[in-house]
């Protein structure tokens, strides 16, 4: 690389840094919100001049200001709050408050302000809050004297070597003073003298000051002090006594003495507090190992005592002596066992003097045992927290373990994670007032027969989740707790627990919240929840309930949610559900939240969610849903406020997704988090792994008219095909009936046959010459009484032309009878004229007027070609076959006579 390239690179880099760093902080100019301007973290070297003149708050923190000239603030004369913390200011100009006469809050933490003179702050009379921590203050004279309205002053972390901020009385309204993290080691008598003329100071924070000596009377000037915070100031036991002596006679209420290495408390440590009314004492994190008996005897007004995070070895009957008013005792992690120390001991009756105690927290404590006298005397106790503690005695809770609580009025007992293995009969029977019992995260392994909870007839909440799936229920499990409203059994039940003839929940008609999740339940009865008329929340996620809703389930689907009309929230995620019966969710009219994520719901039945008219939140993530069809989703999506259906393998075709996308576009009440990033197409290939919002709805819009056209087209084609086929194979029939209709319409119909017309012959016989002998043989014998035939050869009048004779004779015959043979069909005379005439007769007269007698089997096609007649044109009885068997000839004749004797009328139907 040449040096020229190198320079270019540097220039580019600088450019990149300059341009992109402000961008990286996502803000390039001040953000105005209402009347506040946020100009923090903009690398500003001066106050921006282009902000609205009417702002009241200006945040200039985390910039590079080294000074704030009053003139630069002049445009913002209405400013109430100014924050210039985390800059490089070395001084505060007196003109600042003059430029901003209404300023109330000035925050200048973490700068390099060194010297402040009285005149710098004298114009700041309206200031109420002044923060100056983390500077290098060197106070000369009565610096704060002008701050007449100041209520809050923070000068912590300034390396101040004295707590004295002035000698003249000043800051008459100061309420809170922060002086912590400074280097002074002595609190001198007159340090707070400047506050002696007011009674307003209430809170003094000396956190992490390195105070070793507290001179007597140093708090006298501020005797109205309520709260003193000394946390982390490493005073040690002897200095504490001096501190207490200095506090004697003050109004101190709350004393916070955390992390001060108070390893031992003696009966004298707090002696000097006897002439105070301290109500709250916090001694946490002191490594406290030993508390002498009577150490607290001086604190008769104490209301709350915090001893958490210590290392107390031994509690005796007299440890808490004198704490007659104590209401809260926090012993969280106060008694612990380490590798080097023995297990702490809580003696019997250790708490007996705490008659007013209402809350006792023994969370994460260890002691050798809890006996039947440990909690004796706690007659006001309402809440006992034993969670995460380790007491061998709690492994098996017998009817004596907690007997000492019998005299209390305990409402809540927290035994979460206390390594309980077994609960014996009547274990809680002394706790008549108990409303809340927490037994989560234990190792309870037993069949709950009911006697375990005997006596808890006021219990409202029973929490027994996470018990390693070793609890077995029985029909009587909860008979003793009829008022139960909350029951949690997540990850606690054995597989058989819910497969009982009588539901264990039957007595719980008040139950509103039931958690049965994470139990691997595969079997339950349809009546399991029947009695829970007040159930609102049901959690069934992480079970194995798929089979119960399958059609193929033995005995049909088990509809265990039937009748739970008051339910508002149902969770059935992770159940392997691949079928939901149409009626499974019916009746859940009030359901507001339904969670079905992580199932296999690619085949939802139509209308399966149609009862869910109140639904607000629907979870269907990762459920293999491919199509969002209106038949399934129209109702549940109608009033939704939140839909979570991400990470499904959507099929991005018009059929599957268009409706959903249209709904998404039109809904303005439902939020669909992650729509762009988490809703991806899986099919078809063209859209694979693209957001469903990329789907082009226009491709479907074009299809609508196309589809209509397509349907129309195909219908037409089908129709035409059908007509063509019909015409091809039955055209003659159509033509024939058409002709008949026309004839009838034109009045040639025989519907009223001429009553009086007399026929000379019964039938005019047409036959081929060669068939003359058959006519002789078969038909002539019928002549006589039965009927009379007309034969051309025999009956034509001599002299008449052949044509006229035929026409005349046909007219005189009631019927025309064809003797059909191949020869007849090939006889041109017969074909051309006689047949034509016969056909006319058929049309004009009736279908009955022609009789076909087949001597041979002749194809219909040939028949129509030669005679223009088909078998189908005629009545069935007018089509006769000359029998092969002689014995049937009689029957043939009979038929023939019937055919000849019938009327020529059409049936009225046609
Ligand atoms: C402040 O002034 C700006 C114009 O500079 C104006 O748009 C805004 O409405 C004003 N706000 C108030 C609260 O007066
Ligand atoms: C304080 O304890 C000491 C022994 O440690 C004892 O002699 C003294 O009597 C106790 N004082 C009170 C007031 O109990
Ligand atoms: C403590 O309270 C009592 C009344 O409860 C009161 O008489 C006494 O003056 C108070 N003591 C101090 C130091 O405030
Ligand atoms: C405790 O249970 C034992 C049997 O285990 C019984 O004899 C005793 O009466 C019970 N005590 C109480 C107070 O219920
Ligand atoms: C019971 O103890 C557990 C664990 O310490 C805690 O999370 C829970 O909030 C407690 N319950 C109540 C009602 O205080
Ligand atoms: C405890 O129950 C008794 C009656 O059994 C009742 O008198 C008392 O007020 C209850 N205590 C509380 C704190 O509810
Ligand atoms: C719904 O709850 C009410 C009381 O909150 C109850 O009266 C009603 O019977 C319940 N409905 C059903 C169907 O259980
Ligand atoms: C939804 O709206 C966007 C923008 O208005 C539009 O581009 C898109 O085609 C619409 N989608 C549907 C399915 O209507």
């Amino acid at each position: 690389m040449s040096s020229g390239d190198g320079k270019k690179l540097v220039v580019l880099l600088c450019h990149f840094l300059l341009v992109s760093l402000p961008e990286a902080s996502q803000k390039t100019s001040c953000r105005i919100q209402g009347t506040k301007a946020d100009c923090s973290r903009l690398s500003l070297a001066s106050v921006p001049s282009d902000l609205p003149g009417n702002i009241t708050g200006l945040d200039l923190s985390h910039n590079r200001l080294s000074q704030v000239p009053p003139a630069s603030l002049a445009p913002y004369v209405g400013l109430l709050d100014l924050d210039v913390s985390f800059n490089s200011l070395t001084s505060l100009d007196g003109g600042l408050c003059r430029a901003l006469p209404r300023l109330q809050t000035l925050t200048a933490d973490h700068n390099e302000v060194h010297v402040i003179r009285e005149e710098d702050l004298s114009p700041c009379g309206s200031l109420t809050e002044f923060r100056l921590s983390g500077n290098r203050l060197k106070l000369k004279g009565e610096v704060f004297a002008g701050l007449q309205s100041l209520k809050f002053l923070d000068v912590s972390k300034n390396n101040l070597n004295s707590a004295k901020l002035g000698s003249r009385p000043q800051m008459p309204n100061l309420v809170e003073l922060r002086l912590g993290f400074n280097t002074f080691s002595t609190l001198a008598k007159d340090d707070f003298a400047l506050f002696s003329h007011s009674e307003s100071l209430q809170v003094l924070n000396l956190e992490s000051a390195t105070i070793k000596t507290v001179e007597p009377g140093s708090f006298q000037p501020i005797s109205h002090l309520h709260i003193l915070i000394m946390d982390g100031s490493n005073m040690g036991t002897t200095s504490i006594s001096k501190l207490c002596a200095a506090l004697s006679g003050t109004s101190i209420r709350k004393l916070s003495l955390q992390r001060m290495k108070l390893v031992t408390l003696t009966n004298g440590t707090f002696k000097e507090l006897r002439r105070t009314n301290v109500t709250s004492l916090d001694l946490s994190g002191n490594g406290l190992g030993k508390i002498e008996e009577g150490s607290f005897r001086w604190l008769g007004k104490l209301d709350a005592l915090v001893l958490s995070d210590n290392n107390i070895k031994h509690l005796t009957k007299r440890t808490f002596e004198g704490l007659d008013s104590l209401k809260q005792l926090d012993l969280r992690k106060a008694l612990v066992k380490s590798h080097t120390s023995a297990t702490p001991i809580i003696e019997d009756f250790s708490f007996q003097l705490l008659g007013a105690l209402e809350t006792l927290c023994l969370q994460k404590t260890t002691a050798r045992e809890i006996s039947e006298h440990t909690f004796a005397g706690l007659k006001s106790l309402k809440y006992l927290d034993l969670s995460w503690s380790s007491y061998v005695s709690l492994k098996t809770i017998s009817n004596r373990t907690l007997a000492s609580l019998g005299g209390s009025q305990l409402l809540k007992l927290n035994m979460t994670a206390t390594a309980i293995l077994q609960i014996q009969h009547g274990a809680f029977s002394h706790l008549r007032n108990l409303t809340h019992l927490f037994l989560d995260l234990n190792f309870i392994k037993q069949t709950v027969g009911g006697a375990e909870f005997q006596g808890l007839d006021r219990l409202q909440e029973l929490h027994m989740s996470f018990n390693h799936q070793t609890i077995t229920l029985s029909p009587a499990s909860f008979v003793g707790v009829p008022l139960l409203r909350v029951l949690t059994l997540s990850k606690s039940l054995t597989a058989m627990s819910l497969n009982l003839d009588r539901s264990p929940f039957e007595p719980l008609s008040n139950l509103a919240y039931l958690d049965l999740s994470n139990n691997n339940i595969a079997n339950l009865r349809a009546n399991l929840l029947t009695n829970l008329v007040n159930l609102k929340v049901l959690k069934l996620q992480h079970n194995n309930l798929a089979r119960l809703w399958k059609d193929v389930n033995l005995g049909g689907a088990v509809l265990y949610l039937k009748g739970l009309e008051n339910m508002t929230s149902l969770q059935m995620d992770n159940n392997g559900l691949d079928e939901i019966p149409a009626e499974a969710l019916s009746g859940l009219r009030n359901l507001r939240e339904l969670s079905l994520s992580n199932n296999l719901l690619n085949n939802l039945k139509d209308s399966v969610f149609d009862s869910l008219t109140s639904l607000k939140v629907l979870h269907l993530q990762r459920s293999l849903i491919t199509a969002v069809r209106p038949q399934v989703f129209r109702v549940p999506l109608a009033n939704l406020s939140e839909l979570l259906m991400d990470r499904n393998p959507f099929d991005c075709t018009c059929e599957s997704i268009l409706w959903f996308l249209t709904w998404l576009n039109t809904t303005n009440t439902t939020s669909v988090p992650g729509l762009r990033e988490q809703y991806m197409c899986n099919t078809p290939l063209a859209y694979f792994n693209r957001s469903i919002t990329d789907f082009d709805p226009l491709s479907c819009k074009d299809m609508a008219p196309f589809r209509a056209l397509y349907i129309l087209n195909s219908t037409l084609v089908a129709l035409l095909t059908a007509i063509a086929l019909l015409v091809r194979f039955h055209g003659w029939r159509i033509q024939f009936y058409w002709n008949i209709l026309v004839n009838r319409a034109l009045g040639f119909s025989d519907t009223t046959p001429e009553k009086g017309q007399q026929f000379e012959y019964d039938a005019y016989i047409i036959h081929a010459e060669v068939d003359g002998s058959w006519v002789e043989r078969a038909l002539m014998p019928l002549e006589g009484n039965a009927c009379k035939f007309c034969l051309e050869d025999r009956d034509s009048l001599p002299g008449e032309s052949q044509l006229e004779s035929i026409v005349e004779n046909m007219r005189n015959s009631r019927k025309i009878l064809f003797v059909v043979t191949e020869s007849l069909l090939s006889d041109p005379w017969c074909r051309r004229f006689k047949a034509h005439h016969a056909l006319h007769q058929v049309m004009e007269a009736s279908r009955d007027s022609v009789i076909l007698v087949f001597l041979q089997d002749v194809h219909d096609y040939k028949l129509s070609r030669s005679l223009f007649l088909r078998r189908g044109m005629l009545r069935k009885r007018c089509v006769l076959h000359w029998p092969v068997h002689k014995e049937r000839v009689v029957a043939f004749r009979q038929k023939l006579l019937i055919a000849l004797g019938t009327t020529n009328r059409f049936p009225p139907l046609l």
Side-chain angles (χ1 to χ4, degrees):
M1 194 159 58
S2 75
S3 67
D5 284 349
K7 263 181 206 158
K8 259 184 220 161
L9 193 70
V10 169
V11 169
L12 264 175
L13 252 171
C14 290
H15 185 75
F16 172 78
L17 283 175
L18 281 175
V19 169
S20 58
L21 276 183
E23 268 174 11
S25 68
Q26 297 292 315
K27 198 172 65 170
T28 53
S29 63
C30 301
R31 194 180 298 148
I32 315 289
Q33 260 186 344
T35 58
K36 297 201 186 319
D38 177 4
C39 299
S40 63
R41 294 172 204 272
L42 289 173
S43 301
L44 298 175
S46 60
V47 181
S49 57
D50 53 353
L51 303 172
N54 56 9
I55 52 169
T56 61
L58 176 57
D59 182 356
L60 285 164
S61 65
H62 296 274
N63 280 300
R64 298 188 198 156
L65 306 174
S66 56
Q67 54 176 350
V68 184
S72 67
L73 289 168
Y76 314 119
V77 71
L79 223 50
L80 302 173
D81 306 320
L82 177 63
D83 186 347
V84 290
S85 59
F86 294 93
N87 278 288
S88 313
L89 305 181
T90 51
S91 64
L92 287 175
D93 196 295
L96 189 139
C97 284
R98 262 189 292 276
L100 305 173
R102 291 186 225 159
L103 199 64
Q104 290 177 359
T105 308
L106 177 56
T107 305
D109 300 325
H110 295 277
N111 278 286
E112 285 159 32
V113 179
H114 189 43
V115 180
I116 302 184
R117 293 158 306 162
E118 192 175 342
E119 54 268 39
D120 291 337
L121 297 178
S122 56
C124 299
S126 58
L127 213 58
T128 57
E129 202 175 310
F130 190 16
R131 294 172 189 267
L132 259 177
S133 82
N135 281 284
R136 303 187 291 124
L137 281 188
K138 186 118 187 122
L139 302 173
K140 287 254 168 70
E142 310 294 310
V143 175
F144 303 104
L147 305 175
Q148 292 296 313
S149 313
L150 205 65
K151 294 203 164 92
F152 177 96
L153 177 63
D154 186 353
V155 287
S156 56
K157 297 185 189 160
N158 265 293
N159 288 337
L160 294 177
N161 49 26
S162 162
K164 191 171 179 178
L165 299 178
S167 37
R168 239 176 38 221
Q170 51 193 290
M171 293 186 274
N173 292 302
L174 200 67
V175 175
E176 180 168 353
L177 175 61
R178 295 197 180 174
L179 271 169
F181 298 94
N182 279 305
T183 48
F184 51 84
S185 59
T186 305
L187 282 187
K189 206 165 182 298
D190 62 344
D191 276 355
F192 302 115
L194 69 164
F195 301 110
S196 60
H197 293 271
S198 94
E199 297 185 352
S200 60
L201 195 64
Q202 303 213 333
V203 183
L204 179 59
N205 188 332
L206 291 169
E207 193 176 344
S208 293
T210 50
I211 300 166
K212 293 276 166 287
T213 319
V214 182
E215 288 181 4
S218 37
F219 289 104
Q220 284 315 311
I222 49 171
S223 62
H224 290 91
L225 203 65
H226 277 14
I227 300 174
L228 177 61
I229 298 161
M230 303 290 299
D231 302 349
S233 55
N234 289 351
M235 285 181 102
T237 308
T238 42
S239 306
I240 285 287
S241 310
K242 289 187 187 148
L243 177 75
C244 293
L247 287 170
S248 181
T250 64
S251 311
I252 192 79
R253 294 270 186 283
K254 196 171 166 185
L255 197 48
S256 185
L257 303 175
Q258 301 179 24
R259 304 186 312 280
M260 292 181 66
K261 301 214 168 116
L262 290 177
V263 185
T264 308
L265 294 185
T266 68
N267 63 9
T269 309
F270 298 119
K271 185 175 178 186
E272 296 301 327
L273 290 179
R274 69 186 185 281
R275 267 183 283 113
T276 64
N277 289 333
V278 173
T279 57
S280 166
L281 178 60
D282 188 342
L283 291 167
S284 56
N286 271 299
L288 195 58
K290 187 168 181 212
I291 302 177
E292 265 186 21
E293 294 186 335
S295 294
F296 301 109
R297 57 184 297 189
W298 322 106
L299 303 170
K301 297 271 166 63
L302 208 62
D303 189 275
L305 175 60
V306 182
L307 288 168
S308 59
D309 294 290
N310 281 303
N311 198 13
I312 303 167
K313 291 285 146 225
H314 202 148
L315 295 182
T316 72
K317 286 192 259 268
R318 295 188 52 217
T319 303
F320 299 113
E321 186 187 359
L323 294 170
D324 300 333
S325 314
L326 200 67
K327 290 204 166 66
Q328 298 177 43
L329 177 57
D330 186 350
L331 288 168
R332 193 178 322 223
K333 286 205 250 173
L335 301 101
V336 291
K337 178 178 158 39
S338 66
H339 299 299
T340 53
S341 64
T343 309
I345 295 170
I346 300 178
E347 280 184 9
D348 282 358
F349 303 106
S350 281
F351 303 103
Q352 72 165 342
L353 298 173
L354 300 174
L357 199 68
E358 291 176 358
T359 303
L360 174 58
C361 179
L362 284 166
Q363 199 185 107
K364 296 186 181 165
T365 55
T366 309
R368 221 169 275 166
E369 63 174 342
I370 283 182
S371 79
E372 54 193 297
H373 303 299
T374 303
F375 300 111
L378 289 169
K379 53 182 189 287
S380 305
L381 197 67
K382 295 196 168 60
Y383 180 41
L384 175 59
D385 186 352
L386 286 167
S387 64
W388 295 102
S389 58
S390 160
Y391 300 94
V392 181
S393 347
L394 296 183
K395 278 198 175 4
T396 300
I397 305 183
S398 72
N399 64 4
R400 295 199 318 281
T401 313
L402 301 171
S404 57
L405 289 166
S408 75
Q409 307 197 332
L410 204 65
L411 299 175
K412 290 188 190 180
L413 176 58
N414 198 339
M415 298 186 80
T416 302
T418 45
I420 303 169
L421 290 174
Q422 212 199 6
I423 301 171
Q424 294 188 345
H425 291 188
F428 304 105
S429 55
H430 315 280
L431 310 178
R432 297 251 159 218
N433 289 68
L434 205 67
T435 57
H436 293 65
L437 178 58
F438 300 87
L439 296 169
D440 303 316
L441 290 161
N442 282 297
F443 300 87
I444 302 168
K445 180 174 185 176
Q446 67 192 84
T447 299
V448 180
E452 296 83 353
F453 302 123
Q454 159 202 323
L456 293 178
D457 41 11
R458 295 195 186 179
L459 201 67
Q460 291 174 15
E461 295 195 13
L462 177 57
H463 298 257
M464 290 214 287
S465 291
F466 306 106
N467 269 289
H468 297 83
Q469 284 173 255
T470 44
I471 295 176
T472 304
L473 298 183
S474 71
S477 289
F478 302 110
V479 286
V481 286
L483 296 184
L484 216 56
R485 295 182 56 253
V486 175
L487 176 60
T488 73
L489 290 163
S490 178
K491 210 165 185 176
S492 287
L493 297 179
T494 58
M496 288 312 293
S497 280
L498 303 180
N499 197 16
L500 301 168
D501 285 337
R502 263 188 60 219
S503 165
F505 308 126
E506 200 183 281
L508 303 181
S509 58
N510 289 298
L511 204 66
Y513 183 107
L514 178 60
D515 185 352
L516 296 172
S517 60
N518 293 283
N519 280 312
N520 272 336
I521 300 167
N523 247 329
L524 47 79
R525 302 292 176 91
N527 68 354
L528 182 76
L529 310 167
T530 312
N531 235 26
L532 306 183
V533 290
N534 286 302
L535 197 65
K536 296 248 181 327
V537 179
L538 177 60
K539 296 187 164 199
L540 285 171
Q541 69 267 32
H542 289 279
N543 280 299
N544 199 3
L545 298 170
R547 186 183 51 80
L548 295 174
W549 273 356
K550 283 189 203 287
D551 270 345
V552 296
N553 184 41
L554 211 65
V558 183
L559 304 177
Y560 47 89
L561 300 177
K562 223 178 179 156
L564 298 177
E565 279 174 28
N566 284 333
M567 193 145 72
T568 60
S569 174
L570 171 63
Q571 298 183 22
M572 296 199 67
D573 320 69
N574 298 76
N575 264 292
L577 298 176
D578 53 359
E579 243 177 87
I580 302 181
E583 329 81 71
L585 305 172
S586 68
L588 303 184
R589 276 178 283 109
N590 293 304
L591 203 66
R592 297 173 64 80
E593 181 167 1
L594 174 62
S595 204
L596 284 169
S597 66
N598 290 301
N599 285 299
L600 311 152
L601 303 175
N602 46 335
N603 255 327
L604 284 169
K605 292 190 171 68
D606 288 358
S607 310
V608 65
F609 297 136
D610 275 8
S611 305
L612 312 182
T613 48
S614 306
L615 209 60
K616 291 280 174 236
V617 182
L618 178 58
H619 297 251
L620 277 169
Q621 303 97 312
R622 288 182 239 92
S623 283
L624 294 187
I625 290 171
T626 51
V628 184
R629 295 181 298 126
Q631 295 86 336
V632 179
F633 287 102
R634 182 173 281 126
V635 173
L637 296 193
N639 293 314
L640 221 56
S641 42
E642 189 168 16
L643 174 66
L644 299 129
M645 207 192 265
D646 46 284
R647 282 166 284 175
N648 279 297
F650 292 107
D651 173 38
C652 291
T653 58
C654 299
E655 268 187 345
S656 305
I657 208 89
L658 180 64
W659 179 83
F660 184 42
L661 287 171
T662 312
W663 176 83
L664 283 169
N665 250 16
T666 47
T667 182
N668 43 15
T669 51
T670 314
S671 93
V672 186
L675 178 59
R676 272 217 69 85
E677 315 86 45
Q678 308 277 359
Y679 288 66
M680 295 301 193
C681 303
N682 190 50
T683 49
L685 207 55
Y687 281 110
F688 176 73
N689 223 10
R690 290 173 61 190
S691 168
I692 60 167
T693 53
D694 289 346
F695 181 75
D696 181 12
L698 288 179
S699 64
C700 307
K701 283 222 176 66
D702 294 348
M703 262 186 56
F706 269 136
R707 187 178 296 164
L709 213 62
Y710 168 78
I711 292 171
L712 199 70
N713 268 354
S714 44
T715 317
L716 271 178
V717 167
L719 207 65
L720 285 176
T721 313
I723 290 172
L725 286 173
L726 201 67
V727 168
R728 169 75 181 76
F729 293 108
H730 286 276
W732 59 269
R733 210 187 282 267
I734 294 165
Q735 200 179 9
F736 169 66
Y737 285 121
W738 173 251
N739 285 334
I740 287 173
L741 276 177
V742 168
N743 281 337
R744 261 207 236 173
L746 296 180
F748 304 132
S749 165
D750 70 341
T751 44
T752 50
E754 310 91 308
K755 281 264 166 67
Q757 188 180 354
Q758 289 296 315
F759 295 102
E760 203 175 322
Y761 308 105
D762 284 309
Y764 179 94
I765 297 179
I766 301 170
H767 62 89
E769 281 215 41
V770 286
D771 299 322
S773 59
W774 178 84
V775 174
E776 285 283 313
R777 213 165 9 95
L779 299 183
M780 287 311 133
L782 293 173
E783 277 202 302
N785 297 338
C787 55
K788 188 174 177 211
F789 298 122
C790 173
L791 287 164
E792 199 56 48
D793 309 342
R794 189 185 69 182
D795 302 318
S796 56
L797 290 177
E800 238 180 315
S801 86
Q802 198 182 0
L803 225 75
E804 276 173 33
S805 138
I806 290 173
V807 172
E808 187 59 26
N809 283 337
M810 276 193 181
R811 193 174 298 142
N812 283 332
S813 307
R814 190 185 303 135
K815 313 262 168 164
I816 299 167
L817 191 152
F818 285 84
V819 179
V820 187
T821 56
E822 294 283 350
S823 335
L824 178 80
L825 302 187
S826 41
D827 184 331
W829 176 244
C830 162
R831 266 171 26 201
R832 296 261 164 74
F833 181 76
K834 290 185 186 167
H836 255 282
H837 199 77
L839 189 61
H840 270 264
Q841 196 92 348
V842 172
M843 274 169 212
E844 286 171 18
S846 109
R847 297 200 292 158
D848 276 4
S849 59
V850 168
I851 297 171
L852 299 180
V853 176
F854 289 86
L855 300 194
Q856 293 168 344
D857 198 13
V858 173
H859 199 271
D860 206 32
Y861 168 70
K862 248 181 181 168
L863 194 67
S864 78
R865 285 278 302 272
S866 330
L867 302 183
F868 314 103
L869 279 171
R870 291 174 189 256
R871 288 181 178 90
M873 286 180 175
L874 307 179
R875 292 282 165 85
K876 227 181 174 172
R877 56 170 178 254
C878 302
V879 178
L880 295 137
H881 294 265
W882 177 247
V884 187
H885 304 288
K886 267 213 173 102
E887 56 272 25
R888 298 203 183 156
V889 169
V890 182
F892 168 80
R893 286 194 178 140
Q894 193 56 40
K895 278 189 195 166
L896 183 62
L897 287 179
I898 289 170
L900 290 172
T902 50
T903 76
N904 292 354
R905 300 195 49 166
F906 268 97
L909 255 179
L910 204 140

